[in-house]
Every structure is written in C-alpha cells, then in structure tokens.
Amino acid sequence: MKKWTTSNIPSQSGRTAIVTGANSGLGLETARALANKGAHVILACRSEERGKQALDKIKYDKPQGSVELALLDLSSLESVIKFTQSFKTQYNTLDLLINNAGVMTPPASKTVDGFELQIGVNYLGHFALTAGLFDLLKQGNDPRVITLSSLAHRWGKIELNSFSDISNYNSWREYGQSKIACLMFAIELDERLREAGISMKSSSAHPGGTKTDLQRHNLMSRVLDFMYMEASQGALPSLYCATELSSVSGSYIGPDGWFEMRGYPAPAKIAKQVHDKDCRKQLWDATEKMAEINFDVS
Ligand SMILES: NC(=O)c1ccc[n+]([C@@H]2O[C@H](COP(=O)([O-])OP(=O)(O)OC[C@H]3O[C@@H](n4cnc5c(N)ncnc54)[C@H](OP(=O)(O)O)[C@@H]3O)[C@@H](O)[C@H]2O)c1
C-alpha cells in the first residue's frame, strides 16, 4: 500500500460523522481531518468545557465542513441513551460513527452501571452507542462504523466474570481485554451485516504508539513518548477506515512500520482468538444481557 495520508481523503461534503472522545488526541485529529474535508462532525465528549475548546481548535482552521458538540459519557448507559435520543430528534441519518474514546490503565474503578471502567467505557459504552444509532446508520450514505482497538488486544482475553468484578484488578490485563472486545465487536458486526445483506462497513483501527493524553495514568508509557507518533499521524488508520473508498469491511488497519508502532495505514495483525466465532457470539450475547440492549443486526 502506498503511504496513505489525509491528502487521500476524498471530499466528505454532505456526510455526517460522530467521533467519540473528540476533544483530545486521536479523536480531535480525526474530527479535524473529517471537518477539513467537508463533513459535519459531532464531537461526542463528556466534558462541555473540553469539548468547547476542541470546537474552537477545529474552527480555527476554518474547515470546509462544520462541527458541533454533544455531551456523551460512555461510563453511563443512561448518558448513551440520552445522547442517541437527542441525536435522533435532530438527524434522520448517520454516515460515520467513530468509536474512538478510551481510557487506559486507570486505578481500579467502576462505571455508573457497575462495570470495570475500561471494559465499560472502551467496549460496552460503544456497543450500546452503535446499537442505539444503528437504524440511522442504515439510512446513511456508505455508512461505516470504526471501532478503535490497540496492539494491546494481542494479550487480551475475554473473561466475562471480570466485567463487573474488580477484586482481582490488573490494569493492563483489563485494558487488553477491553481492546480485544472492541476488535471482536468490529469483526462480529461486519459478519452480521454481511449475513443480513446490509451494505454498511464495520472495521477496526489501531494507532500504534501515539503521543496523547491516554498515557496519563502510566509513567512507563510516558517514558516511551519519544518513540510515539504525533496524533495527526496516529489518526490515519481510523481515517483510512472511515474514508478510503477501497477500504474493506471487516478489516483491521494499523501503522505499517516497526512492530506496527509507527507508520502509515496498512492491514494489521489480528490475534488468533479474535477469529473464534463462538467466543465472539458469547461476547455479543453476554453484552446484550449486561447492558440490557437488544442489538439485532437486521
Ligand atoms: N495513543 C495510543 O498510543 C493508542 C494506542 C492504542 C489505542 N489507542 C486508542 O485510541 C483511542 C483514543 O485515545 P487517545 O490516545 O487519543 O487518548 P486521549 O487523548 O486520552 O483521548 C481519549 C478520549 O476519550 C475520552 N473519554 C474518556 N473517558 C470517556 C468517557 N467516559 N466518556 C466519553 N469520553 C471519554 C477522553 O475524554 P476526556 O478528555 O474528558 O478524558 C478523550 O477525549 C482510545 O480508544 C485508545 O484506546 C491509543
């Protein structure tokens, strides 16, 4: 694959996109690039103050497209429902959903609904959000759902019991679990879309190592900062999945360089366990039960 950059993004004029966690790091750069190419981008952020600052940063570039802020706290399923309900009062369709927000290795803590914070925010919140917006995505033009995973998915293992039990908390293990869950969700959603004959794309992206606020809880990661890419480059795999006309549903895209830590978008290595169809189905079914959501892909 030739070096793919933002200059390859076709016009996004007329497209409506939601980017979660758009006030910093990869989300901000993803939203900025989409708006610069003409999209209307909804910055779905949990903090009004930080969200407004992000709006100002993007507007400063005088983008071709437009941006607005909508409040969304992925650590609360009630907030996810409020967000989708409010979105539906203003929009009939959605073209792009970028499930980007995330937390990494925080101290042991739980979401409002009693889930371990990383699985709750990174995975469950986005599952619920995608389910809530699914009808609008079906009405979209070349609709796509992009869910952020990580190199950390490779050590991730699904342990359904640990979703709401933090008595044996290990921050890196739970982060890996949340990111393999995100990748399994993207792949399973793709398969269900194909089976249902729905022309929507579901892909996953990872940004290798990118300098952002994600490392805030982790001194070791911050020490490695010098190896990391700038957020504008780290956002390219997400942007590739979101906009490249030839991108394939069900793909997993990351940087093509050294150990997938740096570089330009290319197909990335998927851990073997992601291909376990039974495990993906169990995860989907359990998630529906835990989040009390019926996500019927039809
Ligand atoms: N940076 C990397 O090297 C790297 C590597 C692999 C994967 N990733 C993935 O990339 C994604 C983006 O991370 P980033 O590196 O850009 O980190 P970041 O700069 O910390 O951005 C994370 C975003 O998620 C938001 N967020 C956190 N908790 C939330 C919640 N409960 N509800 C709504 N939004 C919430 C944050 O909002 P606040 O500002 O309000 O906290 C922030 O906007 C994550 O999914 C991460 O796992 C990053």
Side-chain angles (χ1 to χ4, degrees):
M1 208 187 280
K2 261 176 58 189
K3 274 185 187 172
W4 192 95
T5 68
T6 50
S7 65
N8 293 88
I9 300 178
S11 169
Q12 298 296 300
S13 179
R15 288 175 75 64
T16 302
I18 294 176
V19 181
T20 68
N23 59 283
S24 83
L26 298 157
L28 175 61
E29 294 308 324
T30 303
R32 192 199 303 272
L34 292 172
N36 282 344
K37 290 286 179 168
H40 177 64
V41 188
I42 293 98
L43 313 187
C45 305
R46 63 173 162 169
S47 151
E48 186 160 14
E49 192 192 341
R50 291 192 289 276
K52 279 184 176 161
Q53 286 167 1
L55 280 182
D56 290 344
K57 284 180 194 162
I58 295 175
K59 284 179 182 169
Y60 184 80
D61 293 342
K62 300 206 172 12
Q64 267 179 50
S66 45
V67 277
E68 72 173 270
L69 173 65
L71 293 181
L72 169 68
D73 181 353
L74 288 154
S75 71
S76 155
L77 293 170
E78 192 188 339
S79 170
V80 174
I81 291 169
K82 268 195 191 149
F83 175 90
T84 55
Q85 283 174 347
S86 153
F87 187 79
K88 285 175 181 175
T89 62
Q90 299 171 68
Y91 296 89
N92 299 319
T93 69
L94 174 63
D95 306 308
L96 267 179
L97 171 60
I98 310 210
N99 290 327
N100 165 82
V103 275
M104 185 177 83
T105 63
S109 45
K110 285 189 168 184
T111 67
V112 174
D113 307 288
F115 299 110
E116 185 279 317
L117 191 69
Q118 299 179 88
I119 198 76
V121 170
N122 301 355
Y123 168 64
L124 287 163
H126 283 128
F127 182 97
L129 182 67
T130 311
L133 294 169
F134 190 63
D135 285 346
L136 273 69
L137 282 160
K138 280 203 293 185
Q139 303 302 317
N141 174 20
D142 184 15
R144 302 181 186 201
V145 179
I146 292 90
T147 304
L148 270 280
S149 184
S150 164
L151 285 169
H153 91 269
R154 294 195 195 157
W155 67 71
K157 194 164 171 253
I158 302 297
E159 301 272 9
L160 293 172
N161 291 340
S162 71
F163 280 26
S164 43
D165 178 4
I166 57 169
S167 56
N168 188 23
Y169 182 72
N170 173 314
S171 62
W172 279 112
R173 187 186 62 210
E174 310 315 344
Y175 182 65
Q177 169 167 255
S178 76
K179 287 293 153 178
I180 196 170
C182 286
L183 182 49
M184 285 176 138
F185 167 59
I187 304 273
E188 183 63 21
L189 177 58
D190 165 65
E191 281 198 13
R192 292 183 184 216
L193 289 166
R194 305 281 78 75
E195 279 161 22
I198 299 171
S199 69
M200 183 188 304
K201 287 179 179 165
S202 167
S203 317
S204 183
H206 85 84
T210 297
K211 232 180 279 176
T212 66
D213 286 348
L214 194 72
Q215 289 88 18
R216 73 188 85 169
H217 298 296
N218 202 279
L219 182 63
M220 187 56 195
S221 296
R222 291 209 308 269
V223 167
L224 295 175
D225 240 23
F226 70 95
M227 290 168 47
Y228 292 170
M229 296 185 289
E230 294 301 325
S232 53
Q233 188 171 356
L236 292 177
S238 298
L239 288 164
Y240 177 94
C241 293
T243 66
E244 167 58 38
L245 296 175
S246 64
S247 94
V248 178
S249 183
S251 57
Y252 176 49
I253 301 293
D256 62 356
W258 186 70
F259 287 102
E260 293 184 20
M261 282 287 285
R262 317 173 52 87
Y264 292 85
K269 191 174 152 203
I270 298 180
K272 207 165 102 195
Q273 54 268 41
V274 176
H275 297 297
D276 183 340
K277 172 84 185 154
D278 290 341
C279 183
R280 289 203 311 264
K281 185 177 180 317
Q282 271 171 25
L283 175 63
W284 188 290
D285 292 347
T287 306
E288 285 189 312
K289 275 205 193 101
M290 286 186 225
E292 296 177 18
I293 291 166
N294 177 24
F295 190 173
D296 181 20
V297 181
S298 60

